[in-house]
């Protein structure tokens, strides 16, 4: 009888040890991701995507995440064509927006709040413009800075090319959906946020618009209706020129694509690098 009890005890102990070891073994939930995740689209979201990719790869060395930016519309287009796994877009491309029909079959995942700012060359003396004044400038009706309280100098309008998510949001939020001018001696279009910064910073009397993360000392960000373009003013709902940034996928994401999106949406990234880059965590907007 004693021998039976001893054998039973050993058997139970062995079973518990095996179960415990099984609990410590890698599972699908905690195993490192593997594979390749291609991201294309928004240049406004490109700095965020590149930073997140660097951090994610440290945790998941077997994943590669090539990211490129050619404008928001190329994001959902690339996903639909199977060229990219994630389409970065400054609007929810699963719904209709002015100028663009929805992309059927795509699923939107909020990843950031993007503040946008009106910017001018440092030689421009104006520091505030109203929505009505911006409508006049970007439509070509106002052509000289003296008409809005500045120096006697021609206004050079720099616009993003059609297909830009920054352009879509700026037109809706800053210009009350009024149309842009399309040509003129003092009008130019650029393809990316980086190109916008370069054009405005190197062109005297120039005006344009960009997401806040790209604003540096070589340009001046203007007040809008007397309100500074700051993170706090967006969160407090005082400054209206902002939008959610999205990662678009074909259906619900799986594997490394899902793991990467989950990381970008995680509190660790949202409250860490994302905030430092002047994006706003999605949880901050109530």
């Amino acid at each position: 009888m004693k021998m039976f009890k001893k054998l039973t005890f050993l058997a139970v102990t062995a079973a518990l040890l095996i179960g415990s070891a099984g609990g410590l073994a890698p599972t699908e939930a905690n195993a490192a991701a593997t594979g390749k995740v291609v991201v294309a689209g928004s240049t406004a979201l490109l700095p965020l995507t590149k930073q997140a990719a660097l951090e994610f790869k440290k945790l998941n060395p077997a994943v590669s995440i090539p990211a490129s930016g050619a404008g928001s519309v190329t994001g959902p287009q690339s996903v639909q064509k199977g060229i990219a796994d994630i389409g970065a877009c400054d609007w929810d491309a699963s719904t209709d927006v002015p100028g663009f029909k929805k992309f059927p079959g795509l699923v939107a995942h909020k990843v950031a709040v993007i503040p946008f700012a009106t910017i001018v060359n440092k030689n421009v003396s104006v520091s505030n413009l109203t929505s009505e004044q911006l409508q006049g400038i970007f439509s070509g009706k106002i052509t000289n800075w003296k008409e809005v309280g500045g120096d006697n100098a021609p206004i050079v309008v720099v616009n993003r090319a059609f297909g830009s998510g920054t352009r879509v949001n700026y037109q809706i939020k800053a210009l009350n959906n009024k149309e842009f001018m399309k040509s003129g001696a003092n009008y130019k279009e650029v393809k990316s946020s980086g190109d916008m910064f370069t054009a405005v910073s190197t062109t005297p009397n120039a005006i344009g618009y960009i997401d806040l993360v790209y604003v540096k000392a070589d340009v001046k960000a203007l007040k809008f209706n007397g309100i500074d373009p700051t993170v706090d003013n967006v969160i407090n709902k005082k400054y209206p020129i902002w939008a959610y940034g999205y990662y678009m996928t074909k259906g619900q994401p799986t594997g490394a694509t899902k793991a990467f999106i989950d990381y970008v949406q995680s509190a660790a990234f949202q409250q860490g690098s994302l905030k430092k880059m002047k994006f706003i965590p999605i949880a901050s907007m109530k």
Side-chain angles (χ1 to χ4, degrees):
M1 187 62 143
K2 287 183 178 179
M3 180 61 69
F4 175 78
K5 288 183 177 179
K6 186 175 181 179
L7 290 172
T8 302
F9 172 77
L10 290 173
V12 171
T13 302
L16 288 172
L17 287 172
I18 291 170
S20 176
L24 294 174
T27 66
E28 187 176 350
N30 61 25
T34 60
K36 183 178 181 180
V37 181
V38 178
V39 186
S42 165
T43 60
L45 285 171
L46 188 58
L48 178 150
T49 299
K50 287 186 172 182
Q51 180 60 33
L54 285 174
E55 297 178 18
F56 185 77
K57 189 167 178 60
K58 288 180 181 178
L59 301 172
N60 302 270
V63 175
S64 64
I65 307 177
S68 62
S72 280
V73 74
T74 64
Q77 285 176 342
S78 297
V79 172
Q80 260 197 345
K81 293 175 182 177
I83 300 171
D85 303 292
I86 293 174
C89 193
D90 300 348
W91 71 83
D92 179 353
S94 67
T95 64
D96 293 340
V97 298
F100 298 96
K101 292 292 186 182
K102 67 180 180 181
F103 288 77
L106 298 195
V107 177
H109 312 271
K110 286 181 183 176
V111 293
V113 175
I114 313 171
F116 301 103
T118 305
I119 57 171
V120 293
N121 184 274
K122 288 198 300 184
N123 83 313
V124 175
S125 60
V126 169
S127 59
N128 174 69
L129 290 171
T130 65
S131 179
E132 289 76 15
Q133 288 171 328
L134 288 171
Q135 290 169 31
I137 289 171
F138 282 96
S139 67
K141 294 177 182 177
I142 296 175
T143 59
N144 195 295
W145 283 112
K146 69 180 180 181
E147 298 177 68
V148 290
D151 299 329
N152 182 11
I155 298 174
V156 179
V157 172
V158 185
N159 197 10
R160 288 290 302 277
F162 185 77
S164 157
T166 303
R167 171 175 168 148
V168 168
N169 284 293
Y170 192 81
Q171 184 173 8
I172 294 171
K173 309 288 178 62
L175 306 183
N176 197 25
N177 226 12
K178 296 297 189 294
E179 290 297 322
F180 288 106
M181 61 192 295
K182 294 180 173 62
S183 62
N186 290 319
Y187 174 81
K188 61 176 67 177
E189 287 188 357
V190 294
K191 293 183 178 180
S192 70
S193 298
D195 292 342
M196 173 65 79
F197 175 83
T198 299
V200 174
S201 64
T202 59
T203 307
N205 305 311
I207 185 172
Y209 51 89
I210 206 167
D211 52 307
L212 205 56
V213 68
Y214 282 93
V215 175
K216 302 172 186 175
D218 292 334
V219 297
K220 182 168 66 174
L222 301 185
K223 294 180 180 179
F224 175 75
N225 293 332
I227 305 298
D228 283 311
T230 66
V231 167
D232 286 343
N233 283 337
V234 171
I235 294 173
N236 295 332
K237 295 183 171 57
K238 294 179 181 178
Y239 183 79
I241 312 175
W242 63 272
Y244 285 109
Y246 295 87
Y247 281 172
M248 308 300 302
T249 59
K250 186 179 290 186
Q252 292 296 338
T254 59
T257 299
K258 182 181 186 305
F260 179 62
I261 294 174
D262 287 346
Y263 179 75
V264 174
Q265 293 177 329
S266 71
F269 184 75
Q270 292 275 313
Q271 298 298 327
S273 296
L274 181 142
K275 285 181 71 173
K276 291 176 183 176
M277 299 174 76
K278 296 182 182 176
F279 290 100
I280 301 173
I282 51 181
S284 296
M285 304 308 293
K286 305 301 182 184

